[in-house]
Amino acid sequence: MKKIILFFLLISGVIFAQQSVLEQKINSITKDKNATVGISVLGFENGFRFNKNSDKKLPMQSVFKFHIAAAVLDYVEKGKLSLDQKIALNKSNLHENTWSPLREKYPNGNEGVTLGEILEFTVAKSDNNGCDIMLKLLGGTKTVQNFMNSNGVKNFQIKFNEEEMHKDWNVQYENYSTTQSAMDVLKKFYDGKLLSKKQTDYLMQVMLSTSTGMNKIVEQLPKNTPVARKTGASGKNDAGLTGAENEIAIITLPNGKHYAIALFVSNSTESDATNCKMISDISKAVWDYFNK
């Protein structure tokens, strides 16, 4: 019995020491940075948790497109929408002066683009016009809020769409989440507690194809690592302030296990490159922890 107790004490001591090393590494990455950095990590199979500033309500920016896509797919599952339904694109919903690969593909509009294609552009390429098209189909941000509330997602708020955020810098702070909330909703999603299996599998594949933010979470991970993710970024205002440089992800390890990570850099006066490097370096430190 004593040997068993000593064994578990030894294992606990090793785990604690490794956690301390991770914490020290992350603290060294964020040290002296003029920014609020929120971090949440959860090992799905081993229950490992790491949190730093995880209770701060920080602007999501395009990370909220994950929540919007989930609400759309809930409507699809309920028969209120269909991924095959056709949506007309024109000047009324293909706004200029906003990030929109969808507009670049259809510069003259199109009478029959499927909701599925719009959703994929919105999540995997972070299309702002696609985002607002989906919100209009849902009847507004309140539908997304109600969907998240009904699934027990706390410390999450969505009030404004992309067009409104582009008109007023301060509006982004009304679309907030804590990193703890972002991590928790990823776990619910992975466990099939947010959407049906069919819709979960579909959205997971879309997130795995994300092409934005290649200099953030995935930058230093081994090539071809499966990472289902959603990025977000505000850019800088006239005062040189970054409201948000964010990313959330579900990462598959070489041993087949998984962890979720949510990284939000907010109210930063650092350069865009520095903000993204922080996310990249923290992601690599967490990867190294899980692969020891």
Side-chain angles (χ1 to χ4, degrees), residues 19-162:
Q19 289 176 343
S20 296
V21 170
L22 176 62
E23 185 171 9
Q24 290 169 14
K25 179 65 174 175
I26 289 175
N27 287 341
S28 72
I29 293 167
T30 60
K31 183 182 179 183
D32 299 327
K33 299 296 191 300
N34 191 11
T36 298
V37 183
I39 307 165
S40 288
V41 180
L42 173 65
F44 286 177
E45 287 82 11
N46 66 6
F48 168 80
R49 289 179 178 268
F50 179 87
N51 290 288
K52 180 184 176 75
N53 294 324
S54 62
D55 59 345
K56 293 185 179 297
K57 295 175 179 177
L58 304 176
M60 289 180 287
Q61 279 291 335
S62 288
V63 163
F64 77 167
K65 291 169 183 170
F66 164 79
H67 303 75
I68 294 166
V72 166
L73 291 173
D74 177 62
Y75 263 33
V76 169
E77 187 65 26
K78 292 174 179 175
K80 296 180 180 181
L81 293 172
S82 168
L83 290 176
D84 295 325
Q85 72 185 77
K86 300 295 180 66
I87 296 163
L89 300 180
N90 49 53
K91 289 185 177 181
S92 70
N93 56 21
L94 290 179
H95 300 137
E96 300 292 335
N97 302 317
T98 192
W99 173 255
S100 184
L102 187 67
R103 185 190 62 239
E104 292 175 10
K105 183 175 180 180
Y106 301 106
N108 300 315
N110 189 289
E111 288 301 314
V113 177
T114 66
L115 174 57
E117 183 175 2
I118 290 171
L119 185 147
E120 288 163 24
F121 266 84
T122 299
V123 175
K125 298 182 183 297
S126 208
D127 195 283
N128 292 336
N129 284 322
C131 173
D132 286 358
I133 289 168
M134 294 201 305
L135 280 173
K136 187 174 181 180
L137 288 171
L138 288 171
T141 57
K142 190 172 181 181
T143 301
V144 183
Q145 185 71 60
N146 290 341
F147 174 64
M148 290 297 151
N149 290 348
S150 69
N151 282 281
V153 178
K154 302 183 184 302
N155 295 315
F156 165 87
Q157 177 174 285
I158 180 171
K159 285 190 172 183
F160 299 96
N161 66 12
E162 285 286 356

Side-chain angles (χ1 to χ4, degrees), residues 222 225-226 251-259 287 290-291:
T225 297
I251 298 173
T252 302
L253 293 158
N255 63 8
K257 296 183 178 180
H258 310 80
Y259 64 92
W287 172 268
F290 276 100
N291 282 282

Side-chain angles (χ1 to χ4, degrees), residues 155-172:
N155 295 315
F156 165 87
Q157 177 174 285
I158 180 171
K159 285 190 172 183
F160 299 96
N161 66 12
E162 285 286 356
E163 184 180 11
E164 291 166 324
M165 282 201 292
H166 277 69
K167 290 179 179 178
D168 184 347
W169 173 266
N170 293 317
V171 156
Q172 67 179 301

Side-chain angles (χ1 to χ4, degrees), residues 225-238:
T225 297
V227 183
R229 59 197 183 91
K230 185 67 204 80
T231 59
S234 67
K236 289 188 176 295
N237 66 6
D238 293 338

